[in-house]
Amino acid sequence: MTLNVADARPAGPAGAPPLLELRGISAAYEQVEVLHKVDLAVPTGKVMAVLGPNGAGKTTMLKVITGLHEPTGGDIFLAGRCVTGAAPVDLARIGLCSIPEGRGVFPNLTVSENLWMATYRGVSRKEIEEKVFPIFPRLKERRTQAAGTMSGGEQQMLAVARAIATNPAIILLDELSMGLAPLVVDQLYDVVGKIAETGVTVLLVEQFARTALAVADLAAVMSGGRILQVGTPDEIAGDLHSAYLGG
Amino acid sequence: MHEFIILTISGLVTGGIYAITAGGLTLTYTTTGIFNFAHGVTGALAAFTYWQLHFDWGWPVWLSIIVVLGILAPAFGVFLHFAIMRRLEGTSETTRLMVTVAVLLSLLATVMWVWDPQTPRNVVNFFPGESVDMAGTRVSYHDLITLAVALIVAIGLWVLLRSTRAGVAMRATVDDRNLAVLNGSRPEVPGMLAWATGTMLAAVAGILIAPKLSFAALPLTLLIVNAYAAAVIGRLKSLPWTFVGAMIIGLVTEYGKGYLTETRFPTAGPYLSGLTDSMPVLVLFLAIMLLPTSRLRGHASSRTREIAHRPTWTGSLVFAALVIAGAVVAANTLGAADLFASTKMWGFAIIALSVIPLVGYAGKMSLAQLGFAGIGAICVSHLGSGGNPLGLLWAALICAGIGVLVALPALRLSGIYLALATAAFAVMLDRWIFQLPAFTWGDTRIDLFNSGTLNFERFDWPGIDISSDRAYFIFGAVFFALSSLVVVWIRRGEFGRRLLAMKDSPAACATIGMNHKLTTLTVFGLSAAMAGVGGGILGGALGTLSPVNFDFTAGLSVLMLMVIAGLTSPGAALFAGIFLGTPLITNLFPDYAQLTTILIGLNGIALGKNPNGFIAAKIRPEWEPALQRPFILAGSAAAQLVLVVLRFTDVIGNWAFVIGILLAVIGIPAAVKGELMLKAPRTEQELPPGLSEQPEGLGLNGHRFKPADIEGLDKLIAMPSLPTVAMAETPSPTLPGARHGA
């Protein structure tokens, strides 16, 4: 694997290829196709929110992007290069960072050991802790505690911390707000906003539109395994009812 | 005092060997989620290889050690990982455990095949004759080395898992494999490292303990049972506690051997000799019972690839009828010796059937079913003397009671801990209870195994004489067929649904108010009763039984055959009965008895690919369509009837008869396939436009949905086309390793 998409992190000039692009991506579980020729482009340095109801195919789309689920058709481009079929571990090592649905932590590992796992992406343990602990001081207090024994908000905090610790080119966030108190969700999205300000590209998938649209530069609506609409957060906000409820 | 010091040193050395074994066991469980029953036999294999290199071929000790511990053992661990263990992702704990049992059985058979057990061999200590004086006691260099190695292993493993990135990655991979991958960790590396290290530790323990045991494969293999307790004291994850546990077990065992002797306790001594052998399993049982439930959590088995098929009455009745019909034909065609040797198959089949409700439906892993069969055999022998069939009733009632008693403390256990608790019970029966000499309870003299052998008479049913082998064979088949219908009745009824619900989601069962404790106790009792009856039927078949018929490893074979064929299929019990209770395989391969066990093991190893067993994965899909085509079934039945007539009239011999029957049976699914091919649409013109299959056939029978099908279906139901997002045209340079790369 020779590609290093982290080089593409600063916002590119107008007209430059998007950092992440899906062209005609289809995916299936067993015999049932759940993504039908999805096209999506995430510009470099922008935050794109993909909204949609349960079963829209959002999580499957992220699994396909991260390489955990093989598409049945179409191609994925990262910094202009085709990465369809690349192994998830290779994608992670070249700067594609993902926080999966639920709590993206290793429950039996301590906070410190969870952060240690991020060193596979080429950053030292010391650098990671120096970067993360000032942003999340609570994690420093609990560095020897098993992640599974922390609250849901703290676990999600740890997952975000591990993601941002290694200067990724793009972060994929799946349902960051799931099962968390609104106050905690706001705190986490504040951090996402700050990450985005440093030029990191973010693709976030959410059911709760208002929270996601507040930090997004672009938004897409997904339903029934298809992208129905792409636009600015204002444009999307107006048509959300029809996306979620039909009509 | 001098004796105490000697026993203490001896206990610490034994504990050191247990610590090395349990350390390897804990390492592989912590880092891969697989509890390796084959850990002991791996050590045995290493010890025999060391013997071959050093004692037989005369290689120097250092070279033999380097080759075995530095090259062969790690390489074997890597082989285990790549060939077997990594394929177990997404299988249940039962399957994972059974695959390691399969490895155990096939490796044990391989060792006994390569190194003939009849040939005496000996392994001597390192630095023979060399010793140092400690507190007035001579301690050999070998023992000192053992203690030092145990300490180094304990510290080394702790450092590996806590203070190295590779160790943390190993633990992370077990926690969440996908998440580890998303963080850039290659999951193969931690697994490979864990198996290589674990296997090397098994080899170290095997070589160190070899001079202390009789140098044979089985004792070395069963060393693992003693190490279970240490691993459980460490809750299968804490290496320091595992080390402490191993030392406690080593000391308790040696003190037991030293103090609980016949000289000190002339009356109780004979009863205690078996107890000292069972000390480690007693500690295991106590550890499991006393540890807080919150600490007894194994690796969660999330969504698995395993399903429990709901049998139909039609299919089950056909199966029962075929079993009886087949038994009648076999009883009238087999030679006298083969028929006698085959009568025991129904006992094994019924014992195997008892596994279905408990393990297959309820998901409660029990390794003690053959132990219950032993108890049942004792009941039938003592309480059904003269062939009184009431002995079977007593066997069922007493076994059910003991089953419930065993289940009571095990109520809070699940997964691997329940398996180990039942294993401890089985080993205790095997090593101690079944070996007890006669004793007196009040005025009653009790001699469980008649000091060696139980005697049986064939059952004396009113109006039916089943004293001949032929009649007993058919009686066994009828009993098995009826028992299989009882199992089907359980599965189809409310109790069966409760069992499956309990297996799928105990939490959901609690929320709907289901009494899972009562359900668990009931299924344990029921299953033990069935196994007990199986033991009685087995006794009636053979006439005599001894404790060796019910030993722990034989019980593992029963369970493993069930898992291979499918834990929820009565047909699997028949398969187990045929395999264990007939001379079929030895007749087919008379010179390769061990090869048969190896083949069973290899089949078990393939479970990772087919966790539902071969009946559900291979046979049922082929046969179910046949049940809807009575004319094909009738044709096959007619052919078989003709063959039976030809055989009974001696027109054809046994081999021609068996081959003919096999062809008639195998021909059924082939005929169904032929009929389906004839009826299938022959040209594309018959299909709706754009579709690659008829709409009702899409997604079925291997016809995968294609993008063109979706579009075709959209057109067919007049669905409007959906908007698409305009994409920027960008060049697409290829990426090495990618699907669309070079």
Side-chain angles (χ1 to χ4, degrees), chain B residues 9 12 33 65 154 162 209 211 242 269 326 347 389 392 401 410 455 569 577 588 634 685 691 708 710-711 734:
Chain B
I9 291 170
L12 289 175
I65 291 285
R162 299 279 156 186
I209 205 166
T242 301
L392 286 176
N455 294 308
S569 312
L588 286 174
Q685 284 72 24
L691 297 189
I710 305 289
E711 282 180 19
T734 53

Side-chain angles (χ1 to χ4, degrees), chain B residues 494-511:
Chain B
E494 193 207 328
F495 186 60
R497 287 196 294 275
R498 276 170 175 265
L499 295 178
L500 287 169
M502 198 167 66
K503 178 186 178 184
D504 281 350
S505 175
C509 290
T511 57

Side-chain angles (χ1 to χ4, degrees), chain B residues 189-455:
Chain B
V189 179
M192 197 176 68
L193 193 59
W195 282 103
T197 315
T199 308
M200 195 187 72
L201 291 179
V204 171
I207 291 173
L208 285 173
I209 205 166
K212 295 183 177 296
L213 295 174
S214 56
F215 189 60
L218 202 57
L220 286 169
T221 301
L222 291 181
L223 165 74
I224 188 72
V225 178
N226 298 351
Y228 293 162
V232 166
I233 289 172
R235 286 129 45 206
L236 296 177
K237 60 182 179 184
S238 164
L239 288 164
W241 277 107
T242 301
F243 187 80
V244 171
M247 290 302 165
I248 291 172
I249 293 160
L251 288 170
V252 167
T253 308
E254 293 303 321
Y255 290 148
K257 278 182 189 166
Y259 292 124
L260 298 179
T261 57
E262 211 165 333
T263 325
R264 284 174 197 270
F265 302 96
T267 318
Y271 304 100
L272 295 175
S273 65
L275 176 66
T276 51
D277 288 338
S278 307
M279 281 292 184
V281 284
L282 266 178
V283 174
L284 168 64
F285 204 71
L286 286 175
I288 290 176
M289 294 308 145
L290 295 178
L291 279 176
T293 310
S294 60
R295 305 215 165 170
L296 293 175
R297 287 208 187 102
H299 290 293
S301 52
S302 49
R303 184 183 294 177
T304 72
R305 293 184 271 142
E306 292 159 42
I307 46 164
H309 175 80
R310 185 171 186 255
T312 61
W313 275 122
T314 316
S316 306
L317 287 168
V318 168
F319 170 76
L322 286 176
V323 165
I324 296 169
V328 170
V329 173
N332 286 290
T333 48
L334 285 171
D338 284 345
L339 184 60
F340 171 73
S342 301
T343 48
K344 63 180 184 289
M345 73 170 272
W346 302 112
F348 279 118
I350 294 166
I351 296 165
L353 208 56
S354 76
V355 170
I356 294 178
L358 185 61
V359 189
Y361 298 159
K364 301 285 179 190
M365 178 77 111
S366 168
L367 303 181
Q369 291 312 98
L370 201 61
F372 285 118
I375 297 172
I378 291 171
C379 297
V380 170
S381 176
H382 290 289
L383 303 171
S385 53
N388 186 352
L390 280 178
L392 286 176
L393 184 65
W394 279 114
L397 290 174
I398 291 171
C399 287
I402 295 174
V404 170
L405 282 178
V406 171
L408 267 177
L411 270 178
R412 67 203 187 100
L413 305 175
S414 61
I416 187 67
Y417 288 99
L418 182 60
L420 290 177
T422 52
F425 176 69
V427 174
M428 217 147 49
L429 287 177
D430 175 14
R431 288 188 188 173
W432 182 30
I433 305 291
F434 289 167
Q435 312 279 354
L436 279 176
F439 58 94
T440 309
W441 186 301
D443 295 333
T444 314
R445 184 177 180 277
I446 299 173
D447 191 355
L448 292 177
F449 256 89
N450 290 341
S451 303
T453 310
L454 285 176
N455 294 308

Side-chain angles (χ1 to χ4, degrees), chain A residues 1-3 17-18 21-23 28 30-33 36-37 39-41 66 68 70-72 74-75 77 80-86 88-90 92-93 96 98 100 104-110 113 116-121 162 226-228 230, chain B residues 161-166 168-169 171-173 175-187 190 237 299 698-700 702-707 710-711 714 719 722-741:
Chain A
M1 185 65 63
T2 53
L3 179 68
E21 189 179 346
L22 275 63
R23 290 188 197 170
E30 300 290 333
Q31 309 294 341
V32 181
E33 190 171 89
H36 315 296
K37 295 191 173 176
D39 293 327
L40 188 71
T66 52
L68 289 176
E70 195 179 340
T72 52
D75 281 311
F77 294 86
R81 298 189 184 190
C82 181
V83 293
T84 319
V89 62
D90 293 327
R93 288 184 178 195
L96 187 145
S98 164
V105 297
F106 302 103
N108 287 307
L109 266 54
T110 63
E113 288 169 338
W116 199 353
M117 284 300 290
T119 59
Y120 281 101
R121 295 203 294 263
R162 207 182 45 224
R226 292 177 167 91
I227 296 285
L228 301 183
V230 178
Chain B
L161 290 179
R162 299 279 156 186
S163 305
T164 67
R165 191 175 72 165
V168 171
R171 289 159 53 216
T173 307
D175 261 9
D176 191 331
R177 185 186 171 90
N178 278 346
L179 189 61
V181 169
L182 291 175
N183 277 280
S185 161
R186 296 190 190 279
K237 60 182 179 184
H299 290 293
L698 278 171
L700 300 173
H703 293 288
R704 193 176 180 132
F705 273 102
K706 293 171 186 154
I710 305 289
E711 282 180 19
D714 282 355
M719 194 173 166
L722 288 162
T724 51
V725 182
M727 301 297 298
E729 283 299 321
T730 51
S732 9
T734 53
L735 185 73
R739 198 181 67 187
H740 297 282

